[in-house]
DNA sequence: CGATTTTGACCAGCGC
DNA sequence: GCGCTGGTCAAAATCG
């Protein structure tokens, strides 16, 4: 059961016009998909407010959806995403974490880079990549979001029972990553965190239902 | 046999 | 500096 809870969310969104949703939800961040610009901080807050207004989220942006919806919360980090890469847009320095990331993450995160890549990346600056996560009640860990992912790591994080899995988009030149873990306090919950934006479409030829594609557009 | 997962090693950042 | 931690690599194992 609950193969893709995400499908259930559709019922909540379908009355909305497709092109309206991303703006309202704030995930359509006004910077190009090649991620040369940071996910502007101020955009963050406004989006959340928009979410509340539009979707009647509560103050903590946590809410149960009706009709069997299982997306319980949405969260978007404004300062905790970091990456290495070329910078063609605005540069940003490191800023302190505002503690706005997932409540279950008690600290700032920085991306690790391999030694080889490190050499290549020498001299380049840090750029933040957009990141957001959501909590889902689900039996399956990996929700089908229309993209293809390859697992590249698994780690047991401190103070948690369940390991965290790391995935990368299989598309060439797409460095979007996601990680999946179960909430320690409630193992029924799956936390999915996306990092970066796809510079391509899901390209999931078959079995991409309309529900899924709509949701895909909605999120990323 | 190519694609993907598994898994320990390795690395950078951080706090002390 | 040292140890801890989370993120990534990469070789081997496994899958389809």
């Amino acid at each position: 059961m609950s193969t893709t809870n995400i499908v259930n969310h559709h019922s909540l969104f379908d009355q909305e016009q497709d092109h309206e949703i991303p703006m309202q939800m704030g995930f359509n961040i006004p910077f190009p998909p090649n991620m040369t610009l940071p996910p502007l901080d101020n955009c963050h807050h406004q989006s959340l407010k928009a979410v509340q207004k539009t979707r009647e989220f509560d103050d903590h942006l946590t809410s149960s959806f009706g009709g069997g919806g299982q997306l319980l919360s949405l969260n978007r980090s404004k300062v905790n995403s970091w990456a290495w890469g070329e910078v063609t847009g605005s540069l940003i320095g490191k800023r302190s974490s505002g503690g706005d990331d997932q409540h279950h993450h008690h600290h700032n995160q920085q991306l690790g880079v391999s030694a080889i890549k490190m050499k290549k990346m020498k001299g380049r600056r840090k750029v933040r990549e957009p990141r957001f996560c959501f909590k889902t009640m689900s039996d399956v860990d990996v929700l089908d979001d229309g993209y293809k992912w390859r697992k590249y790591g698994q780690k047991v994080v401190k103070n948690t029972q369940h390991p965290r899995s790391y995935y990368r988009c299989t598309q060439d030149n797409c460095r979007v990553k996601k990680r999946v873990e179960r909430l320690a306090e409630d193992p029924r919950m799956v936390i999915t965190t996306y990092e970066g934006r796809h510079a391509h479409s899901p390209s999931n030829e078959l079995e991409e239902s309309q529900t899924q594609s709509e949701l895909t557009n909605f999120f990323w």
Side-chain angles (χ1 to χ4, degrees):
Chain A
M1 46 226 99
S2 79
T3 21
T4 49
N5 294 297
I6 264 177
V7 172
N8 295 337
H9 308 156
H10 179 251
S11 56
L12 288 133
F13 305 136
D14 58 4
Q15 65 247 57
E16 211 74 36
Q17 295 156 11
D18 288 335
H19 63 281
E20 292 280 345
I21 296 172
M23 293 310 292
Q24 286 173 340
M25 297 300 278
F27 294 119
N28 193 11
I29 307 148
F31 67 97
N34 56 10
M35 294 182 278
T36 50
L37 290 177
L40 315 165
D41 289 357
N42 37 2
C43 148
H44 173 66
H45 220 61
Q46 290 152 355
S47 341
L48 298 195
K49 283 187 174 168
V51 169
Q52 289 177 7
K53 195 172 155 196
T54 314
R55 291 296 174 198
E56 298 177 10
F57 276 49
D58 65 27
D59 287 339
H60 303 300
L61 195 64
T62 301
S63 168
S64 279
F65 286 151
Q70 288 156 309
L71 178 67
L72 299 185
S73 73
L74 276 168
N75 208 340
R76 194 172 152 48
S77 167
K78 67 177 178 182
V79 294
N80 287 5
S81 302
W82 296 91
W84 295 89
E86 287 179 312
V87 177
T88 62
S90 61
L91 283 172
I92 47 168
K94 182 175 180 177
R95 299 177 205 175
S96 61
S97 166
D100 60 317
D101 209 340
Q102 311 94 300
H103 39 282
H104 56 283
H105 283 170
H106 46 302
H107 66 299
N108 190 9
Q109 315 253 2
Q110 293 190 269
L111 296 179
V113 180
S114 74
I116 302 159
K117 281 186 179 171
M118 219 44 171
K119 286 180 186 169
K120 290 183 182 172
M121 301 264 179
K122 213 156 205 151
R124 294 181 187 173
R125 313 284 193 91
K126 283 176 186 175
V127 182
R128 276 186 281 164
E129 303 211 18
R131 174 194 291 180
F132 74 92
C133 71
F134 54 88
K135 208 184 332 181
T136 311
M137 182 94 74
S138 170
D139 294 336
V140 295
D141 286 6
V142 184
L143 308 171
D144 185 4
D145 52 22
Y147 287 92
K148 203 143 174 284
W149 304 90
R150 172 161 41 249
K151 189 174 185 175
Y152 67 88
Q154 175 166 308
K155 199 75 177 175
V156 176
V157 293
K158 220 186 163 198
N159 300 325
T160 60
Q161 333 278 317
H162 308 90
R164 173 184 300 169
S165 297
Y166 300 88
Y167 298 86
R168 189 193 312 276
C169 182
T170 55
Q171 193 96 120
D172 273 5
N173 296 327
C174 184
R175 284 151 63 237
V176 176
K177 284 172 280 191
K178 78 169 174 182
R179 56 169 185 253
V180 177
E181 66 186 296
R182 290 205 169 265
L183 193 57
E185 301 83 52
D186 187 354
R188 296 173 302 170
M189 300 291 195
V190 173
I191 314 281
T192 308
T193 304
Y194 288 90
E195 190 172 301
R197 285 170 67 84
H198 298 277
H200 59 93
S201 56
S203 70
N204 196 357
E205 43 258 60
L206 30 118
E207 77 158 337
E208 196 193 350
S209 66
Q210 207 197 353
T211 294
Q212 218 165 51
S213 64
E214 280 180 29
L215 186 86
T216 297
N217 291 338
F218 167 75
F219 274 126
W220 48 87

